Amino acid sequence: MSRFVYADNAATTKMDKDVFEIMIKSLEEDYGNPSSIYKKGRDAKVLIEKARKQVADGIGAKESEIIFTSGGSESDNYAIKGIAKAKANKGKHIISSKIEHHAVLHTLEALSKEGYEITYLDVLENGIIDIEELKKAIREDTILITIMFANNEIGTIQPVEEIGKIARENKIIFHTDAVQAVGHVKVDVNEMNIDMLSMSAHKFGGPKGVGALYIKSGIKPENFIFGGAQERGKRAGTENTASIIAMGAAIEKITSEMEKNTIKVQAMRDKLIDTILEKIPYTRLNGDREKRLPGNVNISFRFIEGESLLLMLDLKGICASSGSACTSGSLDPSHVLLSIGLPHEIAHGSLRLSINHENTMEDVEYILEVLPQVVERLREMSPLYDEINKKG
Amino acid sequence: MLYSEKVMDHFANPRNVGEIENADGVGEVGNAKCGDIMRMYLKIEGDTIVDVKFKTFGCGAAVATSSMATELIKGKKIEEAMKLTNKAVVEALDGLPAVKLHCSVLAEEAIKAALNDYYTKKGIKMPGLETPCSGCCEGCCSHE
């Protein structure tokens, strides 16, 4: 039995069918420039504002607090650089974590070259920050805390509400990269004390190239793209109308179905984790077992290397991801896996399966049929496995 | 990153995987920390490599270069095997992505390490075979 199983939804998702149709229709019809005075332009503007409301509703925000961007990376760049510049007179210290996405880490690196000082919090073995360490890291000149909502590799969900509370008490702005969280777990910016939040449409059934940044009323980051008056002058450029409309439709649909999806997806995730750990020896689950995204599975297989594993799975029609050096394009494996304390050789053998509601139990069964064979085949080829077997 | 069809073929159907009992020469290069280890086994009769097997821990390119390197020296004279370069392995595979060139260097080094082991057992010191690389330096790629 051979089939195609897409299990890399943390990388990107297939567009939702309804959303796709809305977008196609919009591409055809809503071509008017939303800044134009005539009806064709005004109509497009109205649709964009409807999408803004949909996005705001998805995270418990107000429409006026949503800025559309080109995606998660732009939102992260905008939030961090925008606050750094706007608050430079108050201080130049920023707190983050060691397991952030590169859109955050590399932005912070760039700022550190401009004289900003960054504290990168360690994470515990389960991938969660130590709240006490966060409290200790806060200084007079701390202007921003940026800690991700949920990790893209190991799926760990941070204690966002608590982090936000600490930030509020200390009058520090709290930004969270929620690219992996929105649409998959409940996000409420007010309940969770979030000041700024990044999201990306293609992680929840929307199109690529569009995202949003939530900026709480009263917070004023420096504008990111200068030009026309779009997005209330904060982010210039003619709006990506069809994508924005599709993003609105996608978030509305996914949040309305979240409860139902979570039950289904979590059951598939748990079956994958439990069966793999039980059936395949020399494995370990990376990330927290409970405080974890509903669709994230990240497991290390000793004695084998991740890229080989991905290629073998691909030959069997399964799309997945890994944190090995070979897939990261550098000599080191994923910074996230190293930060939770994995030795290099175990980090090289990691596999991430990220499933969503479009997957089925049949997909799960197929993965569970193929994966043990592939792992065994690669282990038989591995000189490291040899040594273990000979030792007994 | 794109692998050639040849690389994918040698990855999906690697030739000469396994080990040789009582091999005349065994060489291992690379280390687990960097994500690549290659071990080569040689069976030598007279001046000919009559059999060769490998075991590899590593990426797709590491498996494919191991497989191709064994194919290139199997049945050949030792003298010819000693002349095998990583470049020849890469060419035989219709190329490798630049970031994967170090894998081909490892394959060349693994064969040299196995030949060195063969000569060492015989008490012969053979120039050009003594120092297999650790398999963990970016500098390796400059061998090409």
PDB file of all heavy atoms in Angstrom, chain A residues 303-305 307-308 311 326 331 344-345 348 377 380-381 383-384 386-387 390, chain B residues 1 3 11-12 19 32-35 39 55-60 100 138:
ATOM      1  N   PHE A 303      21.257   6.677  16.293  1.00  0.00           N
ATOM      2  CA  PHE A 303      22.084   5.963  15.288  1.00  0.00           C
ATOM      3  C   PHE A 303      21.741   6.286  13.842  1.00  0.00           C
ATOM      4  O   PHE A 303      22.345   5.732  12.938  1.00  0.00           O
ATOM      5  CB  PHE A 303      22.031   4.427  15.464  1.00  0.00           C
ATOM      6  CG  PHE A 303      22.019   3.987  16.888  1.00  0.00           C
ATOM      7  CD1 PHE A 303      20.979   3.225  17.406  1.00  0.00           C
ATOM      8  CD2 PHE A 303      23.056   4.357  17.734  1.00  0.00           C
ATOM      9  CE1 PHE A 303      20.962   2.841  18.734  1.00  0.00           C
ATOM     10  CE2 PHE A 303      23.051   3.975  19.069  1.00  0.00           C
ATOM     11  CZ  PHE A 303      22.002   3.214  19.576  1.00  0.00           C
ATOM     12  N   ILE A 304      20.765   7.151  13.607  1.00  0.00           N
ATOM     13  CA  ILE A 304      20.497   7.508  12.216  1.00  0.00           C
ATOM     14  C   ILE A 304      20.449   9.025  12.076  1.00  0.00           C
ATOM     15  O   ILE A 304      20.344   9.747  13.063  1.00  0.00           O
ATOM     16  CB  ILE A 304      19.208   6.864  11.650  1.00  0.00           C
ATOM     17  CG1 ILE A 304      17.981   7.333  12.424  1.00  0.00           C
ATOM     18  CG2 ILE A 304      19.322   5.360  11.642  1.00  0.00           C
ATOM     19  CD1 ILE A 304      16.690   6.798  11.847  1.00  0.00           C
ATOM     20  N   GLU A 305      20.495   9.465  10.832  1.00  0.00           N
ATOM     21  CA  GLU A 305      20.605  10.895  10.552  1.00  0.00           C
ATOM     22  C   GLU A 305      19.307  11.354   9.894  1.00  0.00           C
ATOM     23  O   GLU A 305      18.724  10.649   9.070  1.00  0.00           O
ATOM     24  CB  GLU A 305      21.824  11.105   9.651  1.00  0.00           C
ATOM     25  CG  GLU A 305      22.271  12.533   9.501  1.00  0.00           C
ATOM     26  CD  GLU A 305      21.445  13.280   8.492  1.00  0.00           C
ATOM     27  OE1 GLU A 305      20.995  12.652   7.508  1.00  0.00           O
ATOM     28  OE2 GLU A 305      21.215  14.483   8.688  1.00  0.00           O
ATOM     29  N   GLU A 307      18.296  13.671   7.663  1.00  0.00           N
ATOM     30  CA  GLU A 307      18.043  13.885   6.236  1.00  0.00           C
ATOM     31  C   GLU A 307      17.788  12.566   5.511  1.00  0.00           C
ATOM     32  O   GLU A 307      16.890  12.467   4.675  1.00  0.00           O
ATOM     33  CB  GLU A 307      19.206  14.621   5.568  1.00  0.00           C
ATOM     34  CG  GLU A 307      18.824  15.083   4.169  1.00  0.00           C
ATOM     35  CD  GLU A 307      20.001  15.237   3.242  1.00  0.00           C
ATOM     36  OE1 GLU A 307      20.477  14.223   2.697  1.00  0.00           O
ATOM     37  OE2 GLU A 307      20.453  16.374   3.059  1.00  0.00           O
ATOM     38  N   SER A 308      18.575  11.549   5.868  1.00  0.00           N
ATOM     39  CA  SER A 308      18.361  10.219   5.275  1.00  0.00           C
ATOM     40  C   SER A 308      16.945   9.737   5.575  1.00  0.00           C
ATOM     41  O   SER A 308      16.266   9.170   4.720  1.00  0.00           O
ATOM     42  CB  SER A 308      19.328   9.207   5.866  1.00  0.00           C
ATOM     43  OG  SER A 308      20.621   9.491   5.474  1.00  0.00           O
ATOM     44  N   LEU A 311      14.454  11.561   3.390  1.00  0.00           N
ATOM     45  CA  LEU A 311      14.488  11.107   1.998  1.00  0.00           C
ATOM     46  C   LEU A 311      13.818   9.747   1.846  1.00  0.00           C
ATOM     47  O   LEU A 311      13.079   9.509   0.895  1.00  0.00           O
ATOM     48  CB  LEU A 311      15.930  11.052   1.493  1.00  0.00           C
ATOM     49  CG  LEU A 311      16.634  12.402   1.283  1.00  0.00           C
ATOM     50  CD1 LEU A 311      18.122  12.189   1.021  1.00  0.00           C
ATOM     51  CD2 LEU A 311      16.017  13.174   0.127  1.00  0.00           C
ATOM     52  N   CYS A 326      22.186  18.545   8.314  1.00  0.00           N
ATOM     53  CA  CYS A 326      22.075  18.437   6.864  1.00  0.00           C
ATOM     54  C   CYS A 326      20.839  19.133   6.340  1.00  0.00           C
ATOM     55  O   CYS A 326      20.821  19.596   5.208  1.00  0.00           O
ATOM     56  CB  CYS A 326      22.054  16.979   6.443  1.00  0.00           C
ATOM     57  SG  CYS A 326      23.699  16.287   6.427  1.00  0.00           S
ATOM     58  N   LEU A 331      26.581  23.216   9.797  1.00  0.00           N
ATOM     59  CA  LEU A 331      27.239  22.047  10.387  1.00  0.00           C
ATOM     60  C   LEU A 331      26.581  21.638  11.699  1.00  0.00           C
ATOM     61  O   LEU A 331      26.789  20.543  12.190  1.00  0.00           O
ATOM     62  CB  LEU A 331      28.723  22.332  10.618  1.00  0.00           C
ATOM     63  CG  LEU A 331      29.572  22.417   9.338  1.00  0.00           C
ATOM     64  CD1 LEU A 331      30.977  22.860   9.662  1.00  0.00           C
ATOM     65  CD2 LEU A 331      29.599  21.087   8.607  1.00  0.00           C
ATOM     66  N   HIS A 344      24.671  16.551  20.048  1.00  0.00           N
ATOM     67  CA  HIS A 344      24.617  16.693  18.591  1.00  0.00           C
ATOM     68  C   HIS A 344      24.127  15.432  17.891  1.00  0.00           C
ATOM     69  O   HIS A 344      23.256  15.478  17.031  1.00  0.00           O
ATOM     70  CB  HIS A 344      26.009  17.040  18.036  1.00  0.00           C
ATOM     71  CG  HIS A 344      26.340  18.491  18.126  1.00  0.00           C
ATOM     72  ND1 HIS A 344      26.449  19.144  19.319  1.00  0.00           N
ATOM     73  CD2 HIS A 344      26.591  19.408  17.166  1.00  0.00           C
ATOM     74  CE1 HIS A 344      26.750  20.406  19.093  1.00  0.00           C
ATOM     75  NE2 HIS A 344      26.838  20.594  17.795  1.00  0.00           N
ATOM     76  N   GLU A 345      24.707  14.281  18.278  1.00  0.00           N
ATOM     77  CA  GLU A 345      24.408  13.062  17.516  1.00  0.00           C
ATOM     78  C   GLU A 345      22.951  12.644  17.649  1.00  0.00           C
ATOM     79  O   GLU A 345      22.396  12.014  16.745  1.00  0.00           O
ATOM     80  CB  GLU A 345      25.352  11.912  17.899  1.00  0.00           C
ATOM     81  CG  GLU A 345      25.427  11.568  19.368  1.00  0.00           C
ATOM     82  CD  GLU A 345      26.523  12.345  20.097  1.00  0.00           C
ATOM     83  OE1 GLU A 345      26.753  13.523  19.767  1.00  0.00           O
ATOM     84  OE2 GLU A 345      27.129  11.768  21.012  1.00  0.00           O
ATOM     85  N   HIS A 348      20.842  15.189  15.487  1.00  0.00           N
ATOM     86  CA  HIS A 348      20.912  14.877  14.047  1.00  0.00           C
ATOM     87  C   HIS A 348      19.831  13.879  13.631  1.00  0.00           C
ATOM     88  O   HIS A 348      19.413  13.866  12.484  1.00  0.00           O
ATOM     89  CB  HIS A 348      22.275  14.262  13.703  1.00  0.00           C
ATOM     90  CG  HIS A 348      23.392  15.248  13.654  1.00  0.00           C
ATOM     91  ND1 HIS A 348      23.358  16.379  12.884  1.00  0.00           N
ATOM     92  CD2 HIS A 348      24.591  15.270  14.285  1.00  0.00           C
ATOM     93  CE1 HIS A 348      24.493  17.057  13.056  1.00  0.00           C
ATOM     94  NE2 HIS A 348      25.246  16.410  13.897  1.00  0.00           N
ATOM     95  N   ARG A 377      15.941   0.048   8.462  1.00  0.00           N
ATOM     96  CA  ARG A 377      16.798  -0.032   7.290  1.00  0.00           C
ATOM     97  C   ARG A 377      18.020   0.875   7.451  1.00  0.00           C
ATOM     98  O   ARG A 377      19.153   0.479   7.176  1.00  0.00           O
ATOM     99  CB  ARG A 377      15.984   0.391   6.055  1.00  0.00           C
ATOM    100  CG  ARG A 377      16.737   0.244   4.806  1.00  0.00           C
ATOM    101  CD  ARG A 377      15.897   0.047   3.575  1.00  0.00           C
ATOM    102  NE  ARG A 377      16.831  -0.085   2.472  1.00  0.00           N
ATOM    103  CZ  ARG A 377      16.759   0.614   1.353  1.00  0.00           C
ATOM    104  NH1 ARG A 377      15.768   1.456   1.154  1.00  0.00           N
ATOM    105  NH2 ARG A 377      17.662   0.459   0.417  1.00  0.00           N
ATOM    106  N   GLU A 380      20.407  -0.468  10.078  1.00  0.00           N
ATOM    107  CA  GLU A 380      21.225  -1.595   9.614  1.00  0.00           C
ATOM    108  C   GLU A 380      22.432  -1.112   8.812  1.00  0.00           C
ATOM    109  O   GLU A 380      23.439  -1.796   8.720  1.00  0.00           O
ATOM    110  CB  GLU A 380      20.376  -2.554   8.770  1.00  0.00           C
ATOM    111  CG  GLU A 380      19.671  -3.558   9.647  1.00  0.00           C
ATOM    112  CD  GLU A 380      18.621  -4.355   8.908  1.00  0.00           C
ATOM    113  OE1 GLU A 380      18.552  -4.257   7.674  1.00  0.00           O
ATOM    114  OE2 GLU A 380      17.859  -5.058   9.591  1.00  0.00           O
ATOM    115  N   MET A 381      22.271   0.074   8.250  1.00  0.00           N
ATOM    116  CA  MET A 381      23.357   0.661   7.470  1.00  0.00           C
ATOM    117  C   MET A 381      24.334   1.423   8.349  1.00  0.00           C
ATOM    118  O   MET A 381      25.383   1.856   7.890  1.00  0.00           O
ATOM    119  CB  MET A 381      22.716   1.651   6.481  1.00  0.00           C
ATOM    120  CG  MET A 381      23.151   1.519   5.058  1.00  0.00           C
ATOM    121  SD  MET A 381      22.474   2.914   4.146  1.00  0.00           S
ATOM    122  CE  MET A 381      20.954   2.220   3.563  1.00  0.00           C
ATOM    123  N   PRO A 383      27.038   2.363  11.209  1.00  0.00           N
ATOM    124  CA  PRO A 383      28.096   1.771  12.028  1.00  0.00           C
ATOM    125  C   PRO A 383      27.855   1.981  13.524  1.00  0.00           C
ATOM    126  O   PRO A 383      28.371   1.222  14.344  1.00  0.00           O
ATOM    127  CB  PRO A 383      29.357   2.516  11.565  1.00  0.00           C
ATOM    128  CG  PRO A 383      28.893   3.745  10.888  1.00  0.00           C
ATOM    129  CD  PRO A 383      27.515   3.466  10.366  1.00  0.00           C
ATOM    130  N   LEU A 384      27.063   2.987  13.882  1.00  0.00           N
ATOM    131  CA  LEU A 384      26.808   3.253  15.302  1.00  0.00           C
ATOM    132  C   LEU A 384      25.892   2.194  15.908  1.00  0.00           C
ATOM    133  O   LEU A 384      26.045   1.777  17.053  1.00  0.00           O
ATOM    134  CB  LEU A 384      26.146   4.624  15.476  1.00  0.00           C
ATOM    135  CG  LEU A 384      26.969   5.826  15.026  1.00  0.00           C
ATOM    136  CD1 LEU A 384      26.113   7.081  15.002  1.00  0.00           C
ATOM    137  CD2 LEU A 384      28.152   6.013  15.956  1.00  0.00           C
ATOM    138  N   ASP A 386      25.552  -0.870  14.860  1.00  0.00           N
ATOM    139  CA  ASP A 386      26.437  -2.030  14.954  1.00  0.00           C
ATOM    140  C   ASP A 386      27.062  -2.195  16.318  1.00  0.00           C
ATOM    141  O   ASP A 386      26.997  -3.249  16.934  1.00  0.00           O
ATOM    142  CB  ASP A 386      27.623  -1.708  14.024  1.00  0.00           C
ATOM    143  CG  ASP A 386      27.717  -2.678  12.894  1.00  0.00           C
ATOM    144  OD1 ASP A 386      26.667  -3.235  12.568  1.00  0.00           O
ATOM    145  OD2 ASP A 386      28.816  -2.838  12.368  1.00  0.00           O
ATOM    146  N   GLU A 387      27.698  -1.093  16.738  1.00  0.00           N
ATOM    147  CA  GLU A 387      28.444  -1.128  17.997  1.00  0.00           C
ATOM    148  C   GLU A 387      27.532  -1.454  19.154  1.00  0.00           C
ATOM    149  O   GLU A 387      27.872  -2.239  20.032  1.00  0.00           O
ATOM    150  CB  GLU A 387      29.132   0.225  18.225  1.00  0.00           C
ATOM    151  CG  GLU A 387      30.353   0.390  17.324  1.00  0.00           C
ATOM    152  CD  GLU A 387      30.738   1.845  17.095  1.00  0.00           C
ATOM    153  OE1 GLU A 387      30.361   2.701  17.914  1.00  0.00           O
ATOM    154  OE2 GLU A 387      31.421   2.105  16.080  1.00  0.00           O
ATOM    155  N   LYS A 390      26.595  -5.119  19.046  1.00  0.00           N
ATOM    156  CA  LYS A 390      27.699  -6.008  19.416  1.00  0.00           C
ATOM    157  C   LYS A 390      27.934  -5.990  20.914  1.00  0.00           C
ATOM    158  O   LYS A 390      28.295  -6.994  21.514  1.00  0.00           O
ATOM    159  CB  LYS A 390      28.960  -5.646  18.640  1.00  0.00           C
ATOM    160  CG  LYS A 390      28.924  -6.240  17.231  1.00  0.00           C
ATOM    161  CD  LYS A 390      30.040  -5.762  16.352  1.00  0.00           C
ATOM    162  CE  LYS A 390      29.780  -6.216  14.920  1.00  0.00           C
ATOM    163  NZ  LYS A 390      30.531  -5.443  13.954  1.00  0.00           N
TER     164      LYS A 390
ATOM    165  N   MET B   1      17.311  22.101  -1.881  1.00  0.00           N
ATOM    166  CA  MET B   1      18.501  21.408  -2.356  1.00  0.00           C
ATOM    167  C   MET B   1      18.104  20.230  -3.232  1.00  0.00           C
ATOM    168  O   MET B   1      17.233  19.452  -2.896  1.00  0.00           O
ATOM    169  CB  MET B   1      19.268  20.894  -1.145  1.00  0.00           C
ATOM    170  CG  MET B   1      20.576  20.279  -1.524  1.00  0.00           C
ATOM    171  SD  MET B   1      21.429  19.765  -0.043  1.00  0.00           S
ATOM    172  CE  MET B   1      20.171  18.757   0.705  1.00  0.00           C
ATOM    173  N   TYR B   3      19.168  16.823  -5.329  1.00  0.00           N
ATOM    174  CA  TYR B   3      20.105  15.741  -5.589  1.00  0.00           C
ATOM    175  C   TYR B   3      19.876  15.240  -7.009  1.00  0.00           C
ATOM    176  O   TYR B   3      18.741  15.194  -7.486  1.00  0.00           O
ATOM    177  CB  TYR B   3      19.864  14.585  -4.613  1.00  0.00           C
ATOM    178  CG  TYR B   3      20.422  14.795  -3.219  1.00  0.00           C
ATOM    179  CD1 TYR B   3      19.681  14.427  -2.096  1.00  0.00           C
ATOM    180  CD2 TYR B   3      21.697  15.319  -3.024  1.00  0.00           C
ATOM    181  CE1 TYR B   3      20.190  14.588  -0.817  1.00  0.00           C
ATOM    182  CE2 TYR B   3      22.209  15.486  -1.751  1.00  0.00           C
ATOM    183  CZ  TYR B   3      21.462  15.124  -0.648  1.00  0.00           C
ATOM    184  OH  TYR B   3      21.963  15.274   0.607  1.00  0.00           O
ATOM    185  N   PHE B  11      21.302   6.388  -3.144  1.00  0.00           N
ATOM    186  CA  PHE B  11      20.770   6.504  -1.774  1.00  0.00           C
ATOM    187  C   PHE B  11      19.665   5.466  -1.539  1.00  0.00           C
ATOM    188  O   PHE B  11      19.650   4.762  -0.535  1.00  0.00           O
ATOM    189  CB  PHE B  11      20.216   7.914  -1.521  1.00  0.00           C
ATOM    190  CG  PHE B  11      19.428   7.994  -0.246  1.00  0.00           C
ATOM    191  CD1 PHE B  11      20.071   7.966   0.980  1.00  0.00           C
ATOM    192  CD2 PHE B  11      18.030   8.039  -0.269  1.00  0.00           C
ATOM    193  CE1 PHE B  11      19.353   7.992   2.162  1.00  0.00           C
ATOM    194  CE2 PHE B  11      17.305   8.067   0.898  1.00  0.00           C
ATOM    195  CZ  PHE B  11      17.967   8.046   2.123  1.00  0.00           C
ATOM    196  N   ALA B  12      18.758   5.383  -2.507  1.00  0.00           N
ATOM    197  CA  ALA B  12      17.608   4.479  -2.324  1.00  0.00           C
ATOM    198  C   ALA B  12      18.011   3.008  -2.471  1.00  0.00           C
ATOM    199  O   ALA B  12      17.433   2.136  -1.817  1.00  0.00           O
ATOM    200  CB  ALA B  12      16.515   4.833  -3.338  1.00  0.00           C
ATOM    201  N   GLU B  19      29.112  -5.552   5.996  1.00  0.00           N
ATOM    202  CA  GLU B  19      30.486  -5.641   6.464  1.00  0.00           C
ATOM    203  C   GLU B  19      31.111  -6.935   5.984  1.00  0.00           C
ATOM    204  O   GLU B  19      30.412  -7.846   5.540  1.00  0.00           O
ATOM    205  CB  GLU B  19      30.556  -5.527   7.987  1.00  0.00           C
ATOM    206  CG  GLU B  19      29.700  -6.502   8.753  1.00  0.00           C
ATOM    207  CD  GLU B  19      29.674  -6.149  10.241  1.00  0.00           C
ATOM    208  OE1 GLU B  19      30.684  -6.424  10.907  1.00  0.00           O
ATOM    209  OE2 GLU B  19      28.656  -5.606  10.713  1.00  0.00           O
ATOM    210  N   ALA B  32      30.160  11.207  15.024  1.00  0.00           N
ATOM    211  CA  ALA B  32      28.712  11.298  15.199  1.00  0.00           C
ATOM    212  C   ALA B  32      28.257  12.729  15.474  1.00  0.00           C
ATOM    213  O   ALA B  32      27.170  13.138  15.081  1.00  0.00           O
ATOM    214  CB  ALA B  32      28.261  10.378  16.322  1.00  0.00           C
ATOM    215  N   LYS B  33      29.118  13.487  16.143  1.00  0.00           N
ATOM    216  CA  LYS B  33      28.755  14.856  16.495  1.00  0.00           C
ATOM    217  C   LYS B  33      28.421  15.662  15.236  1.00  0.00           C
ATOM    218  O   LYS B  33      27.496  16.462  15.214  1.00  0.00           O
ATOM    219  CB  LYS B  33      29.922  15.501  17.246  1.00  0.00           C
ATOM    220  CG  LYS B  33      29.603  16.861  17.792  1.00  0.00           C
ATOM    221  CD  LYS B  33      30.710  17.349  18.725  1.00  0.00           C
ATOM    222  CE  LYS B  33      30.325  18.684  19.329  1.00  0.00           C
ATOM    223  NZ  LYS B  33      30.905  19.838  18.658  1.00  0.00           N
ATOM    224  N   CYS B  34      29.205  15.419  14.187  1.00  0.00           N
ATOM    225  CA  CYS B  34      28.991  16.168  12.948  1.00  0.00           C
ATOM    226  C   CYS B  34      27.954  15.519  12.040  1.00  0.00           C
ATOM    227  O   CYS B  34      27.585  16.080  11.017  1.00  0.00           O
ATOM    228  CB  CYS B  34      30.297  16.314  12.201  1.00  0.00           C
ATOM    229  SG  CYS B  34      31.503  17.159  13.188  1.00  0.00           S
ATOM    230  N   GLY B  35      27.533  14.340  12.402  1.00  0.00           N
ATOM    231  CA  GLY B  35      26.452  13.739  11.635  1.00  0.00           C
ATOM    232  C   GLY B  35      26.885  12.850  10.483  1.00  0.00           C
ATOM    233  O   GLY B  35      26.041  12.466   9.677  1.00  0.00           O
ATOM    234  N   ARG B  39      32.343   3.788   7.437  1.00  0.00           N
ATOM    235  CA  ARG B  39      33.267   2.698   7.729  1.00  0.00           C
ATOM    236  C   ARG B  39      33.352   1.800   6.494  1.00  0.00           C
ATOM    237  O   ARG B  39      32.333   1.359   5.979  1.00  0.00           O
ATOM    238  CB  ARG B  39      32.793   1.900   8.937  1.00  0.00           C
ATOM    239  CG  ARG B  39      33.851   0.912   9.441  1.00  0.00           C
ATOM    240  CD  ARG B  39      33.287  -0.030  10.471  1.00  0.00           C
ATOM    241  NE  ARG B  39      32.960   0.667  11.716  1.00  0.00           N
ATOM    242  CZ  ARG B  39      32.087   0.194  12.604  1.00  0.00           C
ATOM    243  NH1 ARG B  39      31.447  -0.932  12.397  1.00  0.00           N
ATOM    244  NH2 ARG B  39      31.851   0.857  13.713  1.00  0.00           N
ATOM    245  N   LYS B  55      29.471   0.743   5.850  1.00  0.00           N
ATOM    246  CA  LYS B  55      28.360   1.127   6.722  1.00  0.00           C
ATOM    247  C   LYS B  55      28.485   2.623   6.931  1.00  0.00           C
ATOM    248  O   LYS B  55      29.576   3.123   7.199  1.00  0.00           O
ATOM    249  CB  LYS B  55      28.463   0.400   8.063  1.00  0.00           C
ATOM    250  CG  LYS B  55      28.077  -1.064   7.943  1.00  0.00           C
ATOM    251  CD  LYS B  55      27.293  -1.525   9.154  1.00  0.00           C
ATOM    252  CE  LYS B  55      26.660  -2.869   8.860  1.00  0.00           C
ATOM    253  NZ  LYS B  55      25.895  -3.360  10.017  1.00  0.00           N
ATOM    254  N   THR B  56      27.395   3.324   6.793  1.00  0.00           N
ATOM    255  CA  THR B  56      27.431   4.784   6.909  1.00  0.00           C
ATOM    256  C   THR B  56      26.288   5.305   7.767  1.00  0.00           C
ATOM    257  O   THR B  56      25.150   4.873   7.632  1.00  0.00           O
ATOM    258  CB  THR B  56      27.380   5.433   5.504  1.00  0.00           C
ATOM    259  OG1 THR B  56      28.623   5.174   4.845  1.00  0.00           O
ATOM    260  CG2 THR B  56      27.167   6.929   5.573  1.00  0.00           C
ATOM    261  N   PHE B  57      26.647   6.234   8.640  1.00  0.00           N
ATOM    262  CA  PHE B  57      25.673   7.026   9.383  1.00  0.00           C
ATOM    263  C   PHE B  57      25.791   8.415   8.790  1.00  0.00           C
ATOM    264  O   PHE B  57      26.867   8.994   8.797  1.00  0.00           O
ATOM    265  CB  PHE B  57      26.056   7.027  10.873  1.00  0.00           C
ATOM    266  CG  PHE B  57      25.473   8.174  11.670  1.00  0.00           C
ATOM    267  CD1 PHE B  57      24.169   8.125  12.140  1.00  0.00           C
ATOM    268  CD2 PHE B  57      26.238   9.303  11.965  1.00  0.00           C
ATOM    269  CE1 PHE B  57      23.648   9.175  12.893  1.00  0.00           C
ATOM    270  CE2 PHE B  57      25.710  10.353  12.713  1.00  0.00           C
ATOM    271  CZ  PHE B  57      24.411  10.289  13.177  1.00  0.00           C
ATOM    272  N   GLY B  58      24.726   8.920   8.206  1.00  0.00           N
ATOM    273  CA  GLY B  58      24.828  10.246   7.620  1.00  0.00           C
ATOM    274  C   GLY B  58      23.676  10.557   6.694  1.00  0.00           C
ATOM    275  O   GLY B  58      22.723   9.790   6.574  1.00  0.00           O
ATOM    276  N   CYS B  59      23.823  11.688   5.998  1.00  0.00           N
ATOM    277  CA  CYS B  59      22.744  12.182   5.153  1.00  0.00           C
ATOM    278  C   CYS B  59      22.665  11.408   3.840  1.00  0.00           C
ATOM    279  O   CYS B  59      23.451  10.490   3.602  1.00  0.00           O
ATOM    280  CB  CYS B  59      22.973  13.662   4.879  1.00  0.00           C
ATOM    281  SG  CYS B  59      24.505  13.956   4.005  1.00  0.00           S
ATOM    282  N   GLY B  60      21.766  11.796   2.987  1.00  0.00           N
ATOM    283  CA  GLY B  60      21.589  11.131   1.702  1.00  0.00           C
ATOM    284  C   GLY B  60      22.866  11.119   0.879  1.00  0.00           C
ATOM    285  O   GLY B  60      23.232  10.105   0.279  1.00  0.00           O
ATOM    286  N   LYS B 100      27.322  19.655   0.252  1.00  0.00           N
ATOM    287  CA  LYS B 100      27.479  18.208   0.472  1.00  0.00           C
ATOM    288  C   LYS B 100      28.817  17.672  -0.019  1.00  0.00           C
ATOM    289  O   LYS B 100      29.063  16.470   0.034  1.00  0.00           O
ATOM    290  CB  LYS B 100      26.356  17.450  -0.254  1.00  0.00           C
ATOM    291  CG  LYS B 100      24.972  17.806   0.243  1.00  0.00           C
ATOM    292  CD  LYS B 100      24.754  17.281   1.632  1.00  0.00           C
ATOM    293  CE  LYS B 100      23.320  17.493   2.065  1.00  0.00           C
ATOM    294  NZ  LYS B 100      23.102  17.028   3.429  1.00  0.00           N
ATOM    295  N   GLU B 138      34.866  22.432   7.844  1.00  0.00           N
ATOM    296  CA  GLU B 138      34.372  23.069   6.634  1.00  0.00           C
ATOM    297  C   GLU B 138      35.472  23.103   5.587  1.00  0.00           C
ATOM    298  O   GLU B 138      35.229  23.071   4.398  1.00  0.00           O
ATOM    299  CB  GLU B 138      33.924  24.495   6.949  1.00  0.00           C
ATOM    300  CG  GLU B 138      32.503  24.551   7.441  1.00  0.00           C
ATOM    301  CD  GLU B 138      32.137  25.931   7.923  1.00  0.00           C
ATOM    302  OE1 GLU B 138      32.925  26.516   8.689  1.00  0.00           O
ATOM    303  OE2 GLU B 138      31.057  26.410   7.555  1.00  0.00           O
TER     304      GLU B 138
END
